[in-house]
Amino acid sequence: MGYMGSGKTSVGARLSTRFDYLHIDTDMMISDQMGDSIPQIFEKYGESHFRSLEKKVLRSIDRNDSVVVSTGGGMPCTQDNINYINEHYKSVYLHLNVNKLISRLSENEKEGRPLLNNISSNSELKDYIESKLLEREQYYFNSDLMVDASQSIDDVADDIWEYLHERK
């Protein structure tokens, strides 16, 4: 879990390869099931409906499978999802500071991120990210592990791998 742009999908894919586990990206799963992109789902049905879809998808994942789940950035913050995640999975918060997030969520990266559609300047982006992080980190900080996501994908995956193997 982590804020948009923190590398959840990339790290999840790397971990799933390393563990030889199935990788599920909940945003991709929702998009596939709905036949629409995430921005289209937001536009057609609104954020509240999207959050309901996230909850449904999260609870539909077969926990008997060996799986790495990459959540959407807001998923842990709604509908008691963080508690469900922590009950059924080892949770990891991919942490990035505001400046790194701004850098990653530059103009090229804003496309496909419906919550950033109306943001036109880096100043507005900074204000928005700071505000959202303040809201969301109370949930993210409940994860089992927090990892510095400013490292390379391999280094982030290594940190998670080491943590999980120390717990066995």
Side-chain angles (χ1 to χ4, degrees):
M1 72 181 76
Y3 199 75
M4 68 179 93
S6 63
K8 299 178 299 290
T9 299
S10 299
V11 171
R14 187 68 45 93
L15 281 172
S16 69
T17 300
R18 185 171 291 177
F19 284 121
D20 196 25
Y21 282 9
L22 174 66
H23 177 233
I24 295 176
D25 182 292
T26 59
D27 282 352
M28 288 181 194
M29 194 171 172
I30 290 168
S31 182
D32 289 346
Q33 287 178 359
M34 295 295 291
D36 285 320
S37 68
I38 300 302
Q40 290 170 326
I41 294 168
F42 265 73
E43 187 177 318
K44 286 181 181 179
Y45 306 104
E47 184 176 358
S48 178
H49 182 73
F50 177 76
R51 298 300 174 201
S52 294
L53 293 171
E54 283 184 318
K55 180 178 180 176
K56 183 178 176 185
V57 162
L58 177 64
R59 283 154 179 79
S60 75
I61 297 169
D62 186 349
R63 292 185 315 274
N64 293 319
D65 288 340
S66 297
V67 64
V68 174
V69 179
S70 299
T71 69
M75 180 187 278
C77 311
T78 60
Q79 303 187 21
D80 203 36
N81 288 336
I82 187 62
N83 291 325
Y84 184 87
I85 291 167
N86 285 333
E87 274 181 40
H88 299 287
Y89 303 97
K90 293 292 181 195
S91 58
V92 178
Y93 170 32
L94 302 183
H95 178 267
L96 277 178
N97 68 39
V98 173
N99 291 329
K100 288 279 189 188
L101 288 168
I102 291 168
S103 175
R104 289 192 183 180
L105 296 171
S106 64
E107 283 300 318
N108 295 337
E109 289 294 317
K110 283 171 52 177
E111 190 167 317
R113 300 180 188 276
L115 295 177
L116 301 182
N117 279 346
N118 298 320
I119 296 175
S120 58
S121 71
N122 277 351
S123 173
E124 286 179 44
L125 183 60
K126 182 179 185 199
D127 291 345
Y128 181 80
I129 291 171
E130 286 175 340
S131 171
K132 278 298 186 189
L133 271 179
L134 192 59
E135 286 175 26
R136 291 181 176 186
E137 281 191 325
Q138 64 183 313
Y139 301 97
Y140 295 162
F141 286 150
N142 285 312
S143 63
D144 296 316
L145 174 66
M146 184 169 87
V147 176
D148 176 7
S150 67
Q151 310 172 77
S152 71
I153 293 169
D154 284 326
D155 288 343
V156 173
D158 287 345
D159 286 352
I160 296 167
W161 175 265
E162 289 171 22
Y163 170 79
L164 293 174
H165 279 81
E166 289 172 3
R167 300 291 180 254
K168 285 189 174 183

